[in-house]
Amino acid sequence: MSDQNKQSLLEKMRAKLSTRTTPAPAGREAAPAAHGGEACSFKQFADVKKIQIHKAVAKQWNIDSLYFLCHDGLARDTTTIDGREYLNFSTYDYLGLNGSPEINAAVVEALERHGSTASGSRPTSGERPPHRALERSLAAMYNAEDCVAFVSGHATNVWTIYQLFKKRDLVVYDSLAHNSIIQGAQFSGAVRMPYAHNDVEALDTLLTAERGHYKRCLIVTEGLFSMDGDTPNLPRLIELKKKHQCFLMVDEAHAVGVLGATGRGIAEHYGVDPAGVDIWMGTLSKTLCGCGGYVAGCAEMVECLKYLAPGFLYSVGMSPPVAAASKAALDMMLREPQRVRALQDIGRYCLDYARGKGLDTGRSEGHSIVPVMVGSSIEAAVLASRLFSKGVYVIPIIFPVVEERAARLRFFLSSHHTREQVRQVVDLVVQELPQVREQVAAMLEEQQQGDANDMQD
Ligand SMILES: Cc1ncc(COP(=O)(O)O)c(C=O)c1O
């Protein structure tokens, strides 16, 4: 079965999506009434229809939706959904810290002392001790002068890039950079240029050609790529930023707790001085068991964000118990490097075992993210659904999040996973994948036959 055939269903689906039911108004005279009430109906939104079509296709193919499932209790190496226990490979809690007595105690103390909310933005309604305690610890982790924590990791990237870079500037980012980085670059008004994933020579060439045309230039990458599980060449990026007089920003969302002997991230992994990076960004929602994001670097940059970045200035301060949770998680991470070692061990084991069984693990380096490349969105969704029915919870990553041919299952490892659990799930994938391919091929053939019959009628 050719790749073309495999994709036919999705292509048809997309063709339907691109058919707008309402033509764009020709001029200002087109009154809302001329659209038969559609202008005021969310039901008519192309995006609403898109979701409906996705759901209809999933139903037609008998694919369980694995989105928005309600979990009960702590989601670690296992999780409970609707009373059934699953092997869980979809948690960001890399070091299994969530729910630790020490973190819970810090949360309760902050809650009892400060309540559940900061009750307004920090500049105007004031800070609480957990805010600064967290930021000081994060700054210390990078040996940076200061740090500021935002209430959302995604918003941290958006508002940081927006605030620091402007129209006459250039933002170059790895082509696999997270959506929040791209959104921030778009929003900033700077000129944007992606460079080929992890290709420092391509970046050098791009900067040689372009850097001179712009006032300031920002290079953005991730410490550990969230879809592929590979790392950038940080020492070389630092050289390039110096050579071309740029700023360098690294998003450590998936690197903290995972890379380096004590989980300090990509700088520790390479043994380079963190001062080589101008903007250290990270999220609190993964290893650090909270919610929000941070930026660490020089005091002037941090102050600029605190006084001017709209997503900080005009937004509520982090809930004090959440700040206390992340501070306690960071303390535990630094104090218990055996957790980091256990994660690195199981990540490596998973990669080697999966490769040994002939699975395509893409670019993964075996840190904490191991994708299994499946080849098409339909196959990835069917495979994840079949695994779910057999007690394994892993999320398919499908188009448009990744290219269609790069559809995959993405396995997140945690320090709690055992080798036995890894073997169990890899063996299951090896057993199921050929059956999934056959099932999808048969269904597509059936569908093609149906289409041919329709054309004859
Ligand atoms: C690389 C990267 N940056 C930023 C974010 C956004 O962080 P958050 O989910 O904490 O808002 C994510 C989310 O997973 C991410 O993977």
Side-chain angles (χ1 to χ4, degrees):
M1 172 82 28
S2 71
D3 284 354
Q4 214 179 353
N5 282 344
K6 278 184 196 166
Q7 290 181 26
S8 71
L9 184 70
L10 280 177
E11 273 156 15
K12 274 186 204 144
M13 196 171 91
R14 276 175 222 130
K16 276 193 204 168
L17 295 178
S18 62
T19 319
R20 287 193 173 268
T21 51
T22 309
R28 302 184 83 203
E29 73 282 359
H35 302 293
E38 286 182 10
C40 294
S41 168
F42 287 117
K43 287 196 178 110
Q44 302 302 329
F45 277 37
D47 284 347
V48 171
K49 291 180 180 172
K50 183 154 62 176
I51 296 165
Q52 285 166 351
I53 291 168
H54 272 273
K55 284 184 175 169
V57 171
K59 198 166 167 199
Q60 186 189 343
W61 284 67
N62 236 344
I63 298 170
D64 283 321
S65 169
L66 303 184
Y67 303 118
F68 298 103
L69 298 179
C70 188
H71 297 237
D72 189 26
L74 292 172
R76 282 189 175 164
D77 54 329
T78 61
T79 189
T80 304
I81 302 167
D82 273 341
R84 179 176 177 189
E85 190 175 275
Y86 291 82
L87 262 183
N88 182 23
F89 288 91
S90 287
T91 177
Y92 288 152
D93 181 13
Y94 290 123
L95 300 182
L97 294 171
N98 191 26
S100 305
E102 181 176 332
I103 297 176
N104 289 356
V107 168
V108 170
E109 195 191 321
L111 180 69
E112 286 178 350
R113 204 175 165 96
H114 309 292
S116 54
T117 175
S119 306
S121 84
R122 283 168 56 187
T124 56
S125 297
E127 306 195 319
R128 306 294 182 277
H131 294 135
R132 287 308 288 155
L134 171 65
E135 289 166 344
R136 271 195 298 271
S137 294
L138 287 165
M141 179 167 76
Y142 294 106
N143 217 1
E145 286 176 4
D146 207 351
C147 172
V148 55
F150 291 67
V151 288
S152 145
H154 189 284
T156 304
N157 273 332
V158 171
W159 293 113
T160 299
I161 300 172
Y162 166 86
Q163 190 56 47
L164 299 177
F165 297 89
K166 314 274 182 234
K167 249 189 182 153
R168 292 168 57 204
D169 301 333
L170 172 66
V171 178
V172 290
Y173 53 88
D174 188 286
S175 59
L176 294 189
H178 191 258
N179 168 276
S180 51
I181 294 168
I182 298 167
Q183 296 274 308
Q186 277 173 350
F187 204 20
S188 73
V191 170
R192 291 168 282 122
M193 293 185 191
Y195 61 92
H197 176 56
N198 269 345
D199 188 342
V200 281
E201 300 319 316
L203 175 62
D204 192 14
T205 307
L206 188 154
L207 290 172
T208 303
E210 299 291 338
R211 173 67 187 96
H213 304 304
Y214 301 91
K215 187 173 171 199
R216 285 180 289 241
C217 175
L218 173 69
I219 304 167
V220 198
T221 190
E222 294 182 21
L224 175 63
F225 283 88
S226 61
M227 292 293 164
D228 293 71
D230 55 346
T231 51
N233 183 343
L234 186 64
R236 188 83 178 96
L237 286 172
I238 292 174
E239 273 170 29
L240 286 183
K241 84 124 202 174
K242 287 182 184 157
K243 174 179 168 190
H244 295 283
Q245 300 194 354
C246 303
F247 293 94
L248 177 60
M249 173 171 180
V250 180
D251 177 338
E252 291 260 279
H254 296 273
V256 168
V258 176
L259 299 179
T262 60
R264 283 176 158 84
I266 186 83
E268 187 179 31
H269 175 75
Y270 278 107
V272 302
D273 182 355
V277 172
D278 304 279
I279 307 173
W280 284 108
M281 180 274 167
T283 58
L284 304 174
S285 57
K286 298 172 174 73
T287 290
L288 300 182
C289 296
C291 181
Y294 62 85
V295 166
C298 78
E300 292 81 5
M301 184 265 293
V302 169
E303 186 159 64
C304 184
L305 295 177
K306 285 172 86 164
Y307 276 90
L308 298 174
F312 183 81
L313 186 60
Y314 300 109
S315 189
V316 70
M318 185 175 293
S319 162
V322 172
S326 287
K327 159 86 171 96
L330 181 55
D331 291 347
M332 283 184 78
M333 176 191 98
L334 295 173
R335 224 181 39 233
E336 299 177 12
Q338 67 276 16
R339 289 177 185 269
V340 180
R341 274 199 300 277
L343 174 64
Q344 291 170 350
D345 224 57
I346 198 70
R348 187 73 238 170
Y349 181 79
C350 180
L351 182 72
D352 290 345
Y353 191 73
R355 277 191 185 156
K357 290 281 173 173
L359 294 177
D360 176 359
T361 52
R363 291 181 271 250
S364 176
E365 294 169 11
H367 300 294
S368 60
I369 300 167
V370 179
V372 170
M373 312 308 281
V374 176
S376 77
S377 293
I378 287 288
E379 286 166 331
V382 171
L383 179 58
S385 173
R386 284 174 72 129
L387 294 181
F388 189 67
S389 71
K390 298 196 152 103
V392 173
Y393 178 66
V394 59
I395 295 292
I397 309 291
I398 61 176
F399 180 88
V401 178
V402 290
E403 282 177 42
E404 174 62 20
R405 65 192 160 82
R408 65 195 68 178
L409 299 190
R410 180 177 53 167
F411 291 86
F412 284 118
L413 281 310
S414 114
S415 58
H416 280 284
H417 280 119
T418 63
R419 291 184 171 206
E420 166 67 36
Q421 287 171 328
V422 165
R423 284 195 298 271
Q424 203 179 322
V425 70
V426 170
D427 290 347
L428 195 56
V429 171
V430 170
Q431 178 192 308
E432 291 290 319
L433 192 51
Q435 296 175 35
V436 166
R437 294 205 199 287
E438 265 176 42
Q439 181 190 339
V440 169
M443 288 171 85
L444 285 170
E445 231 154 71
E446 199 179 301
Q447 193 198 329
Q448 270 178 341
Q449 194 55 52
D451 289 350
N453 292 345
D454 287 351
M455 280 169 70
Q456 277 170 6
D457 288 345

